[in-house]
Amino acid sequence: RGDDHIETPRDANRHPRHAKPPQVNFPFGFSEKHAPHLGKDRSSLDTALARGSGDAEMLDVVNENLPAILDAFEPSLVLYDAGADAHAVDGLGHLELSDAGMLARDTAVLRECALRQIPVATVIGGGYDRDR
């Protein structure tokens, strides 16, 4: 997730949000004057990954946290932002996931939801570059 996804919805008891951003990803290139909110928002559970984290670190975070989150909150729907900015070739995401790592991450999320018969709405995000 990027910081722009944190604001909705606000009731963390009914709508938990789990974010896995790189520790130093936000804000980059923004000043406090122009974007004072960047880097300050928090989700229900922030598990910051070190800059340069790869497949194993991402899967560890998903596998260590997602089952407990789903079991504790028993959601009727999961909104999954399958961010492409975690990919190694994305210069702005600061993570190093491979194609196989992104597939494993997405498969783990969908599997945990399917095991609990929770429907999932997915979107993709990220994949930006400085020249676009």
Side-chain angles (χ1 to χ4, degrees), residues 12-48:
N13 291 325
R14 293 186 55 220
H15 308 284
R17 299 170 305 245
H18 181 210
K20 301 175 292 297
Q23 291 172 322
V24 295
N25 207 29
F26 292 98
F28 56 87
F30 296 100
S31 70
E32 177 76 19
K33 175 182 173 185
H34 296 105
H37 69 287
L38 289 178
K40 296 180 181 171
D41 297 320
R42 298 292 175 258
S43 64
S44 303
L45 173 63
D46 285 319
T47 50

Side-chain angles (χ1 to χ4, degrees), residues 5-111:
H5 297 111
I6 287 299
E7 287 303 313
T8 53
R10 297 301 288 170
D11 184 354
N13 291 325
R14 293 186 55 220
H15 308 284
R17 299 170 305 245
H18 181 210
K20 301 175 292 297
Q23 291 172 322
V24 295
N25 207 29
F26 292 98
F28 56 87
F30 296 100
S31 70
E32 177 76 19
K33 175 182 173 185
H34 296 105
H37 69 287
L38 289 178
K40 296 180 181 171
D41 297 320
R42 298 292 175 258
S43 64
S44 303
L45 173 63
D46 285 319
T47 50
L49 293 166
R51 185 177 225 163
S53 293
D55 299 346
E57 294 89 352
M58 176 65 78
L59 285 175
D60 285 348
V61 167
V62 170
N63 292 328
E64 290 172 11
N65 292 284
L66 187 57
I69 291 169
L70 295 174
D71 292 342
F73 288 96
E74 299 178 333
S76 57
L77 173 70
V78 168
L79 303 175
Y80 178 47
D81 184 351
D85 48 356
H87 198 279
V89 300
D90 186 304
L92 301 178
H94 305 299
L95 295 175
E96 298 293 327
L97 269 63
S98 66
D99 291 347
M102 291 189 73
L103 177 60
R105 174 202 65 181
D106 296 345
T107 300
V109 170
L110 296 174
R111 180 188 62 242

